[in-house]
Amino acid sequence: MPETTWWKRGIVYQIYPRSFQDTNGDGIGDLQGISQRLDYLQWLGVDAIWISPIFPSPMADFGYDVSDYCGIDPIFGTLDDFDRVLEQAHSRNLKVILDFVPNHTSDQHPWFLESRSSRTNPKRDWYIWRDPAPGGGVPNNWISNFGGPAWEWDEATGQYYYHAFLKEQPDLNWRNPEVREAMFDSLRFWLRRGVDGFRVDVIWHLIKDAEFRNNPPNPGYQSHQAEINKYLQVHSADQPEVHDVIAAMRQVLEEYEDRVLIGEIYLPLERLVAYYGKDLSGAHLPFNFQLIQTAWNAHEIEKLVNEYEGVLPDGGWPNWVLGNHDQPRIGARIGKAQARVAAMLLLTLRGTPTMYYGDELGMTKVEIPPESVQDPWEKNEPGLGLGRDPARTPMQWDSSPNAGFTPGEPWLPLAPDFQTCNVEVLSQDSGSVLCLYRRLIDLRRRHLALSIGQYLPVQSGGQVFAYERRHGAERLLIVLNFGHAAQAIDLPDGVGKARVLLSTVRSGDWHVEAGCLDLAPDEGLIVALEEG
Ligand code: GLC
């Protein structure tokens, strides 16, 4: 049955491998560490892990600068270690999704070293080289996503190369068929080994305007924003031809059974859904980051969910993301009380949920002293609050030194509250956010209404967002209080009896007789409805 495909039913858990579990004492997480912690993920109940890049890399952007697409960086271990992760994950019914970074390589990748060696090198056209503008200087006004011009001058060959991110991350030229084939072969390398799919980094960037026209200025730009926002990215990303590239990438996955293609795409909804592709030939799941970008109140979130449901193409499967390694954590954005409501929202909406490691512990943000900053973006554009380190700190396993993350010196500081906020402590406390996540995951697994059921909006108002999920005769009402005051809402017409299955703040389950449903401050409820 197509609707029971694992990536539709399942829950994805993102592991940022540097910060998950270190086993060799270098202060950086590794693959053996992931193997050790698979039992935890099984206990939590997730279905798939997506591991941020583990390929050989000079680590200018912590693995998003790949110097070999078919290997494992020694910091993380060996190919054998990877095969063990895969085998041990599969034996626990966990799927493994890798992070594919096709837009750019490292400047140390042999392809780039060749490309920059001379203008006549056969790989010259694998990257994006341009002459200076007629009057001299950079070829156009494109800005790097990490600040500064996106063009780097190469003295030896007298041309600029384009980099949408760091100058250590030159962009590949995806208009070149040889690049496509080489990259598709690297996908096959991992697919043959048995990986279950890919999260594709900045997939909407792969094709740039053929004429490299200047981007128009952004009238809304404010000086406290990242420099990339000075211009609207009209010509440097989201080009129509990108969809052919993605369809070809999808075809590579179709050579194997049951693999998933997830695309990282930061675009407004109507442009995002184009990434399902013509006749669904594109990404299975174009990542939907709208929960991260939308103001946190009942009205806006309700509007968002209804708009998304409305623009999805026929047969396109929805998905929702609450956090990742590039964004402030949900707990830091909306506070611990609302983060529990957010957990219930994520795990009861229609569509594949993606969780970010540590959010299930209620991790917030860790202050990073200036001398400990690691993120190249923070180093390039300091003081604007763009740094991603506060959301990338070590996973908190127990109350021992360094939270059980490493026997060495951790690459980023631990959260100061790790002795009380960790897996060991929270798993023993039935009222903890960790136990809430586990129950939500369990409920989603046991109720088809939650995993694959219909979504139906329900009139609510005020600070309450309510909706129903339905499958067959089963009706579940989800009621979320986005406010800090108690609320009451009416049960839908025709409902006789109702039973609360789960609350984000109260324990147990209870019956509600016809009439009003009471909500505590910051409370979310899952309620089974019976007609009567
Ligand atoms: C993506 C990654 C981010 C990285 C960037 C460049 O947005 O998620 O971490 O810095 O691409 O590869």
Side-chain angles (χ1 to χ4, degrees):
M1 281 201 310
E3 74 267 29
T4 58
T5 311
W6 67 269
W7 53 263
K8 292 188 176 175
R9 231 182 26 239
I11 297 162
V12 180
Y13 182 99
Q14 181 189 356
I15 292 178
Y16 193 66
R18 292 181 74 84
S19 297
F20 203 57
Q21 177 66 62
D22 176 28
T23 57
N24 66 357
D26 64 359
I28 296 171
D30 45 46
L31 288 168
Q32 292 194 14
I34 294 177
S35 282
Q36 272 183 22
R37 295 300 185 180
L38 291 174
D39 285 342
Y40 164 70
L41 297 172
Q42 197 176 18
W43 171 84
L44 186 60
V46 297
D47 300 271
I49 51 175
W50 146 36
I51 311 175
S52 282
I54 47 179
F55 317 107
S57 163
M59 301 288 165
D61 190 21
F62 298 112
Y64 285 96
D65 48 322
V66 177
S67 56
D68 172 6
Y69 286 97
C70 300
I72 298 290
D73 194 282
I75 284 188
F76 298 119
T78 63
L79 261 177
D80 280 348
D81 292 331
F82 176 74
D83 288 340
R84 264 195 297 276
V85 168
L86 197 59
E87 188 197 306
Q88 293 172 0
H90 284 168
S91 72
R92 289 168 174 80
N93 277 325
L94 280 168
K95 305 282 185 183
V96 177
I97 298 168
L98 287 186
D99 207 317
F100 184 52
V101 190
N103 179 67
H104 41 266
T105 68
S106 159
D107 64 345
Q108 300 307 309
H109 195 296
W111 298 342
F112 188 68
L113 297 178
E114 278 191 53
S115 183
R116 81 183 304 173
S117 67
S118 83
R119 286 203 191 197
T120 54
N121 184 278
K123 292 212 168 53
R124 184 65 168 182
D125 184 54
W126 281 37
Y127 292 82
I128 298 173
W129 292 95
R130 281 286 169 288
D131 289 331
V138 289
N140 67 18
N141 69 359
W142 296 2
I143 302 281
S144 153
N145 280 271
F146 292 144
W151 297 97
E152 181 71 9
W153 176 246
D154 182 59
E155 192 59 49
T157 58
Q159 281 190 312
Y160 287 93
Y161 67 84
Y162 175 68
H163 57 91
F165 294 87
L166 298 175
K167 66 179 184 341
E168 292 84 0
Q169 295 168 296
D171 278 47
L172 281 164
N173 175 14
W174 273 84
R175 292 183 188 268
N176 181 322
E178 290 176 17
V179 167
R180 294 187 190 193
E181 275 322 304
M183 291 300 276
F184 292 164
D185 278 345
S186 63
L187 286 176
R188 293 187 184 100
F189 174 87
W190 296 106
L191 290 165
R192 275 198 306 271
R193 279 196 123 72
V195 312
D196 301 287
F198 297 93
R199 171 267 190 191
V200 183
D201 194 60
V202 295
I203 203 168
W204 84 111
H205 272 263
L206 295 182
I207 296 286
K208 306 49 162 129
D209 179 41
E211 295 163 41
F212 288 87
R213 284 170 286 184
N214 279 334
N215 279 325
N218 172 9
Y221 173 69
Q222 292 170 358
S223 60
H224 63 83
Q225 293 177 330
E227 196 186 348
I228 184 73
N229 296 302
K230 275 189 179 162
Y231 298 96
L232 301 169
Q233 308 299 302
V234 172
H235 298 303
S236 47
D238 193 28
Q239 301 301 295
E241 305 97 306
V242 77
H243 297 293
D244 294 337
V245 173
I246 299 172
M249 200 178 275
R250 166 77 179 269
Q251 280 311 307
V252 175
L253 271 79
E254 296 292 334
E255 295 167 16
Y256 303 79
E257 230 172 287
D258 230 10
R259 314 297 164 101
V260 69
L261 186 68
I262 304 175
E264 185 205 20
I265 301 149
Y266 283 92
L267 286 175
L269 282 181
E270 65 285 0
R271 307 236 304 278
L272 173 69
V273 293
Y275 284 75
Y276 284 98
K278 192 167 173 291
D279 302 325
L280 304 182
S281 59
H284 294 107
L285 302 175
F287 257 154
N288 165 12
F289 297 123
Q290 299 298 317
L291 288 179
I292 297 176
Q293 297 177 320
T294 303
W296 195 257
N297 64 65
H299 175 71
E300 290 298 322
I301 298 293
E302 176 172 27
K303 197 168 101 198
L304 158 66
V305 175
N306 292 331
E307 268 175 29
Y308 183 54
E309 284 282 345
V311 294
L312 281 168
D314 266 357
W317 188 253
N319 78 90
W320 297 96
V321 181
L322 261 193
N324 61 40
H325 63 294
D326 295 324
Q327 305 291 337
R329 284 188 182 274
I330 184 74
R333 293 200 315 266
I334 63 175
K336 291 205 174 206
Q338 280 295 310
R340 298 172 76 110
V341 174
M344 185 170 274
L345 175 70
L346 176 73
L347 291 159
T348 57
L349 280 175
R350 191 175 81 93
T352 306
T354 299
M355 299 168 51
Y356 182 50
Y357 88 94
D359 280 353
E360 76 275 25
L361 307 179
M363 284 172 71
T364 55
K365 70 171 174 200
V366 180
E367 294 301 334
I368 310 292
E371 66 280 7
S372 305
V373 167
Q374 302 283 340
D375 183 14
W377 194 6
E378 175 67 21
K379 290 180 182 172
N380 276 358
E381 296 190 85
L384 300 176
L386 302 170
R388 300 169 292 177
D389 296 334
R392 294 177 173 181
T393 60
M395 179 68 175
Q396 297 156 201
W397 295 107
D398 56 41
S399 308
S400 71
N402 293 325
F405 163 67
T406 177
E409 200 44 51
W411 78 287
L412 278 174
L414 266 296
D417 64 351
F418 80 79
Q419 274 166 333
T420 49
C421 177
N422 63 55
V423 171
E424 191 181 57
V425 168
L426 300 184
S427 61
Q428 302 303 316
D429 169 3
S430 62
S432 70
V433 61
L434 177 59
C435 290
L436 172 65
Y437 262 99
R438 186 160 177 255
R439 267 190 222 115
L440 283 164
I441 291 169
D442 179 56
L443 270 187
R444 190 177 175 96
R445 183 180 308 288
R446 287 193 287 113
H447 294 270
L448 289 178
L450 290 179
S451 54
I452 58 170
Q454 284 172 278
Y455 162 87
L456 291 110
V458 169
Q459 278 290 337
S460 41
Q463 275 307 320
V464 176
F465 173 30
Y467 47 95
E468 254 190 60
R469 301 294 312 282
R470 271 193 209 181
H471 187 268
E474 183 171 48
R475 292 177 64 184
L476 296 181
L477 173 71
I478 292 83
V479 198
L480 305 172
N481 185 356
F482 281 65
H484 308 305
Q487 303 269 348
I489 76 152
D490 292 329
L491 285 173
D493 288 345
V495 169
K497 273 200 270 172
R499 191 162 71 91
V500 174
L501 301 182
L502 183 63
S503 154
T504 56
V505 294
R506 286 182 268 179
S507 60
D509 53 338
W510 63 92
H511 283 281
V512 186
E513 292 306 327
C516 249
L517 192 60
D518 292 316
L519 277 174
D522 302 295
E523 182 174 45
L525 297 174
I526 301 178
V527 188
L529 303 180
E530 281 169 40
E531 311 202 351

